[in-house]
Amino acid sequence: MTLLTACNTDAQEGVTTSAPIEENTLDNEGNEQQLSTEVEQSNTPLVVDGEPENPSPASQLSKEKIVSASEELDYSIEHLSNFTLIAEEPGKDMLVYNDNDAISMRIEVFPTAEVAFTDILAETEDLTVVIAPEGKYKEYDLSTYMEQHSDIISEASYLVEYESDRVVTVIYEANEKIVRLTIYDDYITDLASTFLEMGFTIH
């Protein structure tokens, strides 16, 4: 909220009593309080019968889990029934959100016997720079997931942000596999953390 204050010293010198100033101050405080209340009310989600009128997609996900095996790659993944695993192209699968296939996670799996983690790391950094606005990106916090997966030897993460969308890329090494996950998400759907929870079940 922007407050405009008068800076005209001549007008201030013409005031001989403090009563009008006090009255204006009270009026302003009343307006501020009213405006604050209106903003607060506008940010409060409408609740009908104890439930938000427009619940988030994440809150509506099924709890039912499915184990799917890749058609081409050597892995299985445990995922919620709201998602479908499909083959995208040779060497790449997609885990797609059924309600909006633009929200998805690309999955790539490399055997550690054939490729080094450092090579995948360097390649991923190069790819991230290409898609990042002005080449700027940052790390995505994986600390919560690392606490739950002691089998992970190495990991790295990248977050590229756009106006309403984001791309989260994570690579990790575990169980003689290097996994690269590329998540295409937006801030309204907000399923990046859900995708990662599923992505870390790959074995």
Side-chain angles (χ1 to χ4, degrees), residues 18-31:
S18 61
I21 298 176
E22 292 175 353
E23 182 179 352
N24 290 339
T25 301
L26 289 174
D27 289 344
N28 289 338
E29 289 176 351
N31 291 337

Side-chain angles (χ1 to χ4, degrees), residues 26-147:
L26 289 174
D27 289 344
N28 289 338
E29 289 176 351
N31 291 337
E32 290 176 11
Q33 184 176 3
Q34 180 181 358
L35 179 59
S36 175
T37 302
E38 290 173 354
V39 171
E40 186 176 332
Q41 289 175 345
S42 66
N43 291 334
T44 303
L46 180 62
V47 176
V48 179
D49 295 332
E51 295 293 335
E53 184 182 35
N54 298 311
S56 66
S59 69
Q60 300 181 78
L61 294 177
S62 168
K63 301 301 181 183
E64 180 186 358
K65 295 182 179 180
I66 301 171
V67 176
S68 296
S70 172
E71 295 179 2
E72 295 185 10
L73 304 177
D74 181 24
Y75 78 89
S76 295
I77 181 173
E78 184 178 288
H79 60 88
L80 300 177
S81 59
N82 306 86
F83 302 83
T84 301
L85 182 67
I86 60 175
E88 180 189 26
E89 58 183 76
K92 299 177 182 179
D93 290 341
M94 294 292 284
L95 187 64
V96 177
Y97 180 42
N98 297 339
D99 289 349
N100 180 0
D101 60 8
I103 306 299
S104 59
M105 177 172 69
R106 178 180 292 124
I107 301 172
E108 300 168 84
V109 177
F110 312 90
T112 55
E114 298 178 7
V115 65
F117 182 84
T118 52
D119 293 336
I120 301 299
L121 176 65
E123 179 186 70
T124 304
E125 289 178 344
D126 291 341
L127 293 173
T128 302
V129 169
V130 170
I131 67 170
E134 300 180 354
K136 296 180 180 179
Y137 61 90
K138 57 186 177 181
E139 182 179 345
Y140 189 88
D141 185 11
L142 296 177
S143 57
T144 301
Y145 308 99
M146 294 304 99
E147 292 172 359

